[in-house]
Amino acid sequence: MQPPASASLGMPDPKQLPLTGVRVLDFSRLLPGPFCSQVLVDLGAEVIRVDDATRDDGGDLMRQEAQLDGFGDGEFFHLVNRGKKSIALNLRDPRAVDIVKRLVVDVDIVLEGFRPGVMQRLGIGYSALSAVRPELVYCAISGYGQSGSFAAQAGHDLNYQALSGTLHHSRPAHQPPAVGGLQIADLAGGAMTAVSAILAALLEAKLKGRGRFLDVSMTDGLLALNVYTLGLLSLRSQEPKPGQELITGGAACYQLYPTQDGRWLAVGALEQKFWIRFCNVIGRPDLAEFGHSLGDVGQATIRAVSEELIRKPLADWREIFASEDCCVTPVLTLEEALHHGPAAQRSGIWRTPEGRLRSGFPVSMQSTEQQDPLRVSAQSPEIGGHSRALLRAAGYREQDIDQLMEAGVAR
């Protein structure tokens, strides 16, 4: 099956996009930085990837994941690099550093995701580039931030979840922590935190002519998202119980329940009016006063609800609850979500002519001139695919560009 045809395949008038005219020089790799700059592309910015001219994968493992089983065979790269340009440079060569400085003159944002100190050692850290472009917004995304004893340590999404307290609470009661299917530290703690900071700093730069250095720690960003458990810790001065609190699995009104056919229902009847309606629909009005109970009473209520919901397959429950306003939904697979979920009607996901899935910025920004969702090209750049054009625009003559390419400074 394929998702329905989407209006997102077209290319809008670029004058209608919010960040039209904003230029980004993106040194980042893998997922957090590229996802951040993908959002900026979707909002209209021109994003120039700086790839590594000395490597066949451009320095980004996600370009050639076929060597790692289960890593997507390049699809991850294409999902977060649509509509970008690429210049390939050997940043260990001083001539490449000069190229970067010439490019930065016309750049609003620099984005990087290396360990702290790498860009400074290359000669293209914030102090060096802001001297060329004082209004520059320079965003550094790292696992643990630019300071502190963890700063130089390696890590990935799972580590950031572990060190932010998130993984400890992402589990059912009395069960071990589990590896999830969403890279929430990379994408939410890192990329989207960076997007928010970048847009705020960009506004300041445009209004006041003042640049900023943005130190984005994915672990800090994820920790800040633990609003519920942080609130409980603050209130009680003791660690919340994993999987046993009101909205973490301890209450019947906010729970996942199995159905007869091995599928699941998500019951989010948190408000009492929804819970009462839910109890009436399943024929158990006697449970109405116990929906928010925790501990032994909560567990007994969960068992009682489970005994009712296990009697029918998911399709039957979907039909029963289709017209009931009580926050009950099926737990869909990803493919089902693409075809039958809300996204199927809002054109956030589409397929390329080759049949590959692509996702766009999931916000419709309407104005009097534009009523459609934002749309950008589905194509990601070849390594150095725009090097010559960008060097030419930066003032290099053709013979100079030829020499730089022959010397391996650019590609």
Side-chain angles (χ1 to χ4, degrees):
M1 294 191 299
Q2 292 190 3
S6 165
S8 295
L9 279 174
M11 176 71 86
D13 180 351
K15 294 192 295 293
Q16 295 178 345
L17 296 174
L19 294 185
T20 296
V22 172
R23 298 189 90 203
V24 183
L25 203 55
D26 184 4
F27 295 85
S28 66
R29 307 284 189 265
L30 298 175
L31 187 57
F35 188 91
C36 170
S37 61
Q38 184 64 70
V39 172
L40 301 179
V41 168
D42 286 356
L43 292 175
E46 176 189 3
V47 173
I48 303 165
R49 281 182 54 91
V50 181
D51 283 309
D52 188 341
T54 69
R55 293 181 52 171
D56 290 339
D57 62 3
D60 195 331
L61 178 65
M62 295 217 303
R63 277 190 183 271
Q64 295 186 7
E65 306 90 335
Q67 57 192 297
L68 297 176
D69 187 34
F71 230 67
D73 197 21
E75 277 302 286
F76 297 149
F77 180 86
H78 300 306
L79 277 165
V80 295
N81 287 285
R82 296 174 291 100
K84 299 178 184 178
K85 297 178 179 179
S86 169
I87 184 171
L89 301 173
N90 177 7
L91 293 175
R92 293 175 179 80
D93 192 303
R95 290 170 291 181
V97 172
D98 291 337
I99 292 172
V100 170
K101 290 181 178 179
R102 289 176 70 162
L103 290 172
V104 162
V105 171
D106 296 316
V107 161
D108 301 284
I109 300 161
V110 163
L111 178 64
E112 59 104 339
F114 297 116
R115 293 199 213 188
V118 170
M119 292 288 278
Q120 289 89 332
R121 289 194 295 273
L122 291 171
I124 49 177
Y126 176 64
S127 59
L129 297 187
S130 62
V132 177
R133 174 78 160 151
E135 304 88 353
L136 184 67
V137 174
Y138 187 111
C139 182
I141 303 176
S142 63
Y144 310 111
Q146 302 294 306
S147 61
S149 61
F150 287 86
Q153 293 188 23
H156 279 296
D157 186 273
L158 189 65
N159 307 113
Y160 313 143
Q161 289 192 46
L163 290 174
S164 66
T166 305
L167 200 58
H168 178 72
H169 287 282
S170 301
R171 54 175 166 146
H174 312 300
Q175 296 295 318
V179 178
L182 180 65
Q183 293 72 48
I184 55 175
D186 286 350
L187 299 174
M192 296 310 293
T193 299
V195 168
S196 299
I198 286 170
L199 294 180
L202 181 64
L203 179 61
E204 181 186 39
K206 297 297 184 183
L207 293 177
K208 302 177 182 178
R210 180 171 60 209
R212 290 272 185 176
F213 176 81
L214 308 177
D215 174 6
V216 177
S217 159
M218 287 181 269
T219 306
D220 290 353
L222 187 55
L223 178 57
L225 295 176
N226 282 263
V227 174
Y228 180 70
T229 48
L230 281 171
L232 292 179
L233 179 60
S234 176
L235 178 67
R236 302 172 183 168
S237 296
Q238 67 182 57
E239 189 77 20
K241 298 177 181 178
Q244 300 176 64
E245 306 294 350
L246 178 62
I247 61 172
T248 65
C253 67
Y254 205 81
Q255 193 62 239
L256 297 171
Y257 293 100
T259 59
Q260 188 183 67
D261 54 346
R263 298 296 299 272
W264 294 81
L265 272 180
V267 176
L270 195 57
E271 291 85 347
Q272 185 64 7
K273 64 178 181 179
F274 293 142
W275 175 248
I276 292 173
R277 184 62 194 153
F278 170 77
C279 292
N280 289 336
V281 171
I282 67 170
R284 294 298 304 267
D286 57 304
L287 300 177
E289 62 180 293
F290 306 115
H292 296 77
S293 300
L294 302 176
D296 292 341
V297 175
Q299 292 304 305
T301 309
I302 292 170
R303 287 193 295 272
V305 173
S306 295
E307 290 172 359
E308 299 300 326
L309 297 183
I310 201 72
R311 301 177 190 274
K312 300 178 186 294
L314 181 64
D316 288 2
W317 287 120
R318 290 185 69 172
E319 184 175 352
I320 290 169
F321 281 105
S323 59
E324 300 292 344
D325 187 27
C326 53
C327 305
V328 177
T329 55
V331 176
L332 301 179
T333 66
L334 185 59
E335 189 163 8
E336 287 172 340
L338 293 175
H339 287 84
H340 311 301
Q345 303 171 26
R346 292 179 55 85
S347 302
I349 306 289
W350 72 94
R351 286 189 185 271
T352 68
E354 297 76 29
R356 300 295 190 178
L357 285 168
R358 296 292 178 260
S359 59
F361 185 60
V363 176
S364 175
M365 292 189 176
Q366 297 184 0
S367 68
T368 55
E369 295 83 19
Q370 178 182 343
Q371 301 299 326
D372 295 327
L374 302 180
R375 306 182 293 263
V376 297
S377 168
Q379 301 301 315
S380 56
E382 296 292 331
I383 298 170
H386 304 85
S387 293
R388 188 170 289 274
L390 289 167
L391 289 169
R392 191 182 300 119
Y396 287 90
R397 298 174 302 172
E398 289 298 330
Q399 57 264 43
D400 296 329
I401 297 173
D402 290 339
Q403 291 175 2
L404 290 169
M405 299 238 175
E406 289 171 6
V409 176
R411 173 177 164 185

